[in-house]
Amino acid sequence: MERLNSEGFPRDRLLWVLTQPRFVREARRIDACLLCRAHRVNDAGLCDACHATLSDAEMRLVERWMNGTGP
């Protein structure tokens, strides 16, 4: 899976995607959520709606992006 597509990544791949800086950087660059492709993404490449549905493991990875330490 080398590119972001118009439908975003499948939810079951999010943990892996969040460990791939190229995907997060691209989502931020184009301002499109990694999962649903909505605009206005945070530093982890997720919109507010998708961010609100994260599991504990996903949230730990997102917090690393949000505090600037990355994956």
Side-chain angles (χ1 to χ4, degrees), residues 6-19:
S6 63
E7 298 172 3
F9 286 99
R11 178 62 189 261
D12 64 349
R13 304 278 296 179
L14 184 59
L15 281 173
W16 176 79
V17 170
L18 289 170
T19 67

Side-chain angles (χ1 to χ4, degrees), residues 25-58:
R25 279 193 302 264
E26 180 66 7
R28 289 167 45 184
R29 185 186 72 76
I30 64 173
D31 192 32
C33 180
L34 289 166
L35 295 174
C36 72
R37 311 300 286 158
H39 295 290
R40 297 188 149 199
V41 300
N42 60 27
D43 288 340
L46 296 169
C47 68
D48 287 343
C50 289
H51 184 261
T53 66
L54 298 176
S55 69
D56 290 341
E58 293 164 340

